[in-house]
Amino acid sequence: MILDLSIKKMLDRYSDSMPQADKLREILQQAALLGLARHRFFEHAVFYGGTALRILYGLDRYSEDLDFSLIRPNPDFDFSPFLQGMHRELESLGFELEVTERRKNEETGIVSAFLKTNTLILLLSIEGKSKIKGVHPDQKLQVKLEIDVDPPSVIAVESKLVQNPVPFYVITYRIIDLFAGKMHAVLCRSWKHRVKGRDWYDLIWYMQNGIPVNLSYLREKMCQTGHLDPKEKLDEAKFHQLLKTRIDQIDWELAKKDVSPFIADKKQLDIWSRKFFHDVIQNLRVVYQS
């Protein structure tokens, strides 16, 4: 495997304290985005979610998946040509990996794909044998790609620059709509036995950066997924009440356990509690924009 020099330079920019697997995953994520962009995927879809926040806005937590949504609903959307183009692009950058696609989940309208490569081989190609410690020969690095082929009605999108491996543009939602999408996850995600503390960590990040929630988009999203009757309004008072109820339902120890592997400063989780989040959301602002 002979990796492109731009890929090797990316690894040098990371802090030594960041786990090697997380560095490599982010490098692979950005290279995959470049491959999709070069094959005109973003004429059809937007990039959103936690990884979008990290890559585009500097969110200070690691993120595993690449999440996309079609700009317009298309239940028959074929992801395969874009995955094939992305795969060729990644190979041209020197990556040796496997790309697999899963059939659409009819219940959620989500199409999935996976990028897999050998962690040790990738590290050896970048760092050389002398710098590799504690990596199992069979350890796999995986990035999951998910695309929602049945999104709500068209909302505003914008172009954002990604700097690495080389400068290129992706299409994403406005930041107020990204926050609305995150609040949909906070309010509507099915937990089963795993509370997504990452959702609540991101909520704090949005608020620290002064971002309001677009209730117009949140309402559309909730109606589309059956979490709100289309005849109902979603005003600020109702939104806050739903959020307070959700806070009271959370097992905050499980939430902390979920997010802890994805952040460097784990002490900031010590304050997490029902009271803390009730206090946090008092300053949460909303807007109504179509």
Side-chain angles (χ1 to χ4, degrees), residues 16-49:
D16 290 340
S17 62
M18 185 174 177
Q20 290 281 39
D22 292 321
K23 297 177 189 178
L24 295 173
R25 184 180 294 107
E26 288 198 358
I27 289 170
L28 183 55
Q29 286 169 344
Q30 291 174 78
L33 288 172
L34 172 63
L36 290 171
R38 285 183 169 173
H39 290 271
R40 306 175 74 171
F41 175 67
F42 294 106
E43 293 180 8
H44 307 272
V46 297
F47 178 38
Y48 76 106

Side-chain angles (χ1 to χ4, degrees), residues 246-288:
R246 197 64 158 170
I247 289 170
D248 289 337
Q249 296 170 341
I250 295 285
D251 182 327
W252 290 106
E253 290 307 311
L254 289 181
K256 288 191 278 187
K257 187 178 294 185
D258 171 78
V259 74
S260 180
F262 298 92
I263 59 175
D265 180 11
K266 303 182 193 310
K267 289 185 178 180
Q268 61 187 302
L269 301 178
D270 293 346
I271 198 173
W272 278 31
S273 65
R274 186 176 301 172
K275 180 183 184 305
F276 169 69
F277 278 95
H278 276 300
D279 289 341
V280 164
I281 66 167
Q282 289 183 23
N283 298 315
L284 197 159
R285 298 186 298 115
V286 304
V287 293
Y288 300 85

Side-chain angles (χ1 to χ4, degrees), residues 32-255:
L33 288 172
L34 172 63
L36 290 171
R38 285 183 169 173
H39 290 271
R40 306 175 74 171
F41 175 67
F42 294 106
E43 293 180 8
H44 307 272
V46 297
F47 178 38
Y48 76 106
T51 310
L53 273 191
R54 180 160 176 83
I55 291 174
L56 303 180
Y57 292 98
L59 173 68
D60 61 338
R61 75 164 175 87
Y62 314 136
S63 187
E64 295 177 306
D65 304 334
L66 293 173
D67 296 310
F68 307 100
S69 177
L70 291 184
I71 296 172
R72 294 174 182 80
N74 179 3
D76 299 319
F77 180 77
D78 186 1
F79 201 8
S80 301
F82 301 102
L83 290 174
Q84 292 166 7
M86 176 198 68
H87 195 179
R88 291 193 298 271
E89 202 70 42
L90 288 169
E91 288 181 327
S92 74
L93 290 170
F95 289 97
E96 293 178 9
L97 45 75
E98 174 188 350
V99 178
T100 58
E101 183 179 3
R102 284 190 182 172
R103 296 177 61 185
K104 182 178 71 174
N105 183 317
E106 296 297 337
E107 184 177 335
T108 63
I110 300 294
V111 174
S112 303
F114 295 86
L115 309 181
K116 294 181 183 179
T117 189
N118 183 285
T119 305
L120 180 60
I121 291 174
L122 182 55
L123 269 175
L124 284 169
S125 67
I126 299 175
E127 298 259 68
K129 188 174 181 179
S130 62
K131 296 185 179 181
I132 306 303
K133 295 180 181 179
V135 180
H136 192 278
D138 296 325
Q139 181 177 331
K140 298 293 184 182
L141 181 68
Q142 176 175 288
V143 173
K144 184 179 182 181
L145 292 79
E146 290 194 331
I147 178 167
D148 182 358
V149 299
D150 187 26
S153 302
V154 180
I155 60 171
V157 298
E158 58 186 26
S159 181
K160 294 287 290 184
L161 180 66
V162 179
Q163 298 281 3
N164 297 301
V166 296
F168 65 99
Y169 284 96
V170 299
I171 300 299
T172 187
Y173 291 133
R174 299 172 301 187
I175 191 72
I176 59 172
D177 299 320
L178 289 172
F179 195 6
K182 178 57 63 176
M183 293 312 303
H184 180 267
V186 163
L187 295 174
C188 306
R189 191 191 294 276
S190 177
W191 297 328
K192 295 183 179 179
H193 301 294
R194 187 179 181 187
V195 178
K196 275 290 185 89
R198 282 164 278 181
D199 290 339
W200 296 90
Y201 189 89
D202 294 355
L203 181 153
I204 295 170
W205 180 89
Y206 278 109
M207 294 191 61
Q208 287 176 326
N209 285 274
I211 312 299
V213 180
N214 184 6
L215 282 194
S216 298
Y217 178 55
L218 177 58
R219 181 184 179 280
E220 271 200 64
K221 187 82 173 165
M222 291 180 69
C223 288
Q224 190 225 14
T225 57
H227 292 93
L228 188 70
D229 190 309
K231 297 178 182 178
E232 287 186 73
K233 292 182 178 179
L234 182 63
D235 58 18
E236 186 170 1
K238 181 176 179 65
F239 168 61
H240 273 272
Q241 188 53 55
L242 290 171
L243 195 49
K244 289 175 183 178
T245 300
R246 197 64 158 170
I247 289 170
D248 289 337
Q249 296 170 341
I250 295 285
D251 182 327
W252 290 106
E253 290 307 311
L254 289 181

